[in-house]
Amino acid sequence: MILVTGAAGFIGYHTATKLLASGRQVIGLDNLNPYYDVALKQARIKRLEANPSFTFIKADIADRTAIQKIFAEHQFKEVVHLAAQAGVRHSLTHPHDYIDTNVMGFLNILEGCRHTKGFRHLVFASSSSVYGLNTAFPWSEHHGVDHPMSLYAATKKSNELMAHSYSHLYNLPATGLRFFTAYGPWGRPDMALFMFTRAILQGEPIDVYNHGNMERDFTYIDDVVEGIAKVIEQPAKPKPAWSSLKPDIATSNAPYRLFNIGNNRPERLLSLIEHIENITGLKAEKRMMPLQPGDISRSCADISDLQKEMGFAPKTPLKLGVERFVEWYCEYYGIDLAAVRKRA
């Protein structure tokens, strides 16, 4: 039995789907909060519940009593913790949500894991946003991450530090995953691909930040969950050669590890838009905007550690990934893509 928190979320849904397909018994936990369309979250859960090996629990990770009860009842040996308050821009206006969920909620998960006898592995979501002001590309897990540019990023770095302390104190195997711009079918409505596709299909203008001078290490969701599945099966272990004189932040003398999950291939944001235009046959009306507070202009993941240690190999090109997303979007919202192309 494995627990997936944030199971109604984008990465959580796909992770649970992957685990179920491999024959695992999965309990999915989510509070279905209204940060974005709850109907989309409910639709994901409905698809998961079609598999008898999946059980859904509606609960908030910030509810200490509820989380204690759930862990006591199920005695999970593995946890994939993906529940979080996401969004850099939202953190500028709703900072308390990030402390309640990402810090206090994560503490409740850590406590549940450490009080479970024979606990095997905690895999938890960090974020590429922890790299902050670092412009030494590609970003490596071995780089310092002491200059976050948003509270969201700061809470994710906090998660890494909290997990390490529990690994050190309680010998708790924990692996943190820094995700780089995951995208694909069933994606989040607050992400660029979703917003651009919706606006272009509706004939509305799109806001293009930093005047289009943006690059992202877009990582297709199937590649992301393949990496997660590999990590689950290899619990973090102490690194014998780890030195306290020259400490490496990605490893430890405790059972703790950090990995990037990315594509190692930054793409221009304008290329993403061009792919949507080509797939739909429609031209985007672009409103060029300045860089948003807390945002970064470029991301690029060094994935060499995950490749060497887990055999990770992302293989989905952006054009194919965008095509799959647009096709899913049209099917989900009842849009005849062929008719749209004919009218273009």
Side-chain angles (χ1 to χ4, degrees):
M1 182 75 70
I2 186 169
L3 173 67
V4 177
T5 71
F10 173 41
I11 299 178
Y13 160 73
H14 282 280
T15 299
T17 299
K18 174 79 171 177
L19 292 170
L20 290 167
S22 69
R24 300 294 299 270
Q25 294 279 329
V26 178
I27 288 185
L29 185 150
D30 205 290
N31 66 352
L32 300 177
N33 75 25
Y35 170 65
Y36 63 78
D37 185 15
V38 174
L40 178 59
K41 297 180 180 183
Q42 292 171 330
R44 294 176 183 140
I45 292 298
K46 184 177 180 180
R47 287 173 63 89
L48 291 172
E49 288 182 321
N51 190 314
S53 295
F54 179 81
T55 302
F56 176 61
I57 298 176
K58 184 179 179 182
D60 192 327
I61 60 169
D63 184 339
R64 180 166 56 173
T65 301
I67 297 304
Q68 286 176 337
K69 182 178 179 181
I70 291 167
F71 270 86
E73 179 178 350
H74 296 283
Q75 294 293 302
F76 306 108
K77 298 300 185 289
E78 295 167 313
V79 172
V80 182
H81 177 57
L82 302 170
Q85 179 57 61
V88 169
R89 291 167 196 161
H90 187 73
S91 70
L92 302 178
T93 55
H94 297 77
H96 293 89
D97 293 351
Y98 292 78
I99 301 303
D100 293 343
T101 301
N102 297 2
V103 178
M104 297 306 298
F106 188 53
L107 175 62
N108 293 335
I109 297 298
L110 287 169
E111 279 290 287
C113 295
R114 77 113 162 172
H115 286 293
T116 299
K117 185 176 180 180
F119 187 80
R120 181 172 179 266
H121 197 193
L122 167 65
V123 178
F124 68 94
S126 184
S127 168
S128 60
S129 66
V130 300
Y131 289 103
L133 292 174
N134 179 10
T135 56
F137 296 106
W139 284 335
S140 167
E141 304 94 328
H142 308 282
H143 289 171
V145 287
D146 291 328
H147 300 89
M149 295 173 63
S150 68
L151 182 64
Y152 168 71
T155 62
K156 286 301 184 177
K157 164 147 185 176
S158 297
N159 288 172
E160 295 178 358
L161 298 174
M162 294 164 69
H164 181 270
S165 68
Y166 270 65
S167 293
H168 171 75
L169 290 169
Y170 308 114
N171 200 38
L172 176 70
T175 302
L177 302 177
R178 293 173 175 170
F179 297 120
F180 280 70
T181 317
Y183 76 99
W186 296 94
R188 278 172 35 199
D190 63 322
M191 298 294 282
L193 177 56
F194 201 113
M195 293 191 294
F196 290 168
T197 299
R198 177 170 53 200
I200 290 170
L201 287 169
Q202 294 177 353
E204 298 173 352
I206 61 175
D207 293 335
V208 182
Y209 292 103
N210 202 33
H211 306 285
N213 297 315
M214 305 278 276
E215 290 186 358
R216 288 290 182 270
D217 202 341
F218 294 105
T219 315
Y220 189 64
I221 189 61
D222 287 2
D223 295 326
V224 171
V225 298
E226 182 67 26
I228 294 172
K230 289 179 180 294
V231 169
I232 292 169
E233 296 305 315
Q234 298 191 48
K237 296 178 180 179
K239 184 177 180 180
W242 191 85
S243 171
S244 59
L245 296 175
K246 295 182 179 180
D248 171 22
I249 65 173
T251 60
S252 178
N253 58 359
Y256 173 83
R257 192 67 170 90
L258 292 173
F259 288 110
N260 289 333
I261 291 192
N263 202 33
N264 190 228
R265 184 176 176 176
E267 301 267 6
R268 295 165 57 246
L269 186 64
L270 293 176
S271 296
L272 178 79
I273 297 168
E274 289 169 7
H275 287 315
I276 302 171
E277 291 175 326
N278 292 334
I279 292 162
T280 61
L282 302 172
K283 194 70 177 175
E285 178 187 344
K286 307 180 189 72
R287 292 189 300 210
M288 295 302 183
M289 309 287 284
L291 189 66
Q292 292 287 92
D295 211 349
I296 56 173
S297 61
R298 187 171 191 255
S299 68
C300 178
D302 179 344
I303 57 173
S304 56
D305 281 4
L306 196 62
Q307 288 174 319
K308 293 174 186 175
E309 298 184 34
M310 303 287 173
F312 177 67
K315 44 187 176 257
T316 310
L318 183 62
K319 180 181 178 181
L320 177 58
V322 172
E323 183 176 11
R324 289 174 178 172
F325 172 82
V326 173
E327 290 174 349
W328 166 82
Y329 181 95
C330 290
E331 180 181 357
Y332 181 78
Y333 288 104
I335 298 169
D336 188 337
L337 183 57
V340 170
R341 289 166 173 161
K342 286 181 180 179
R343 292 196 305 268

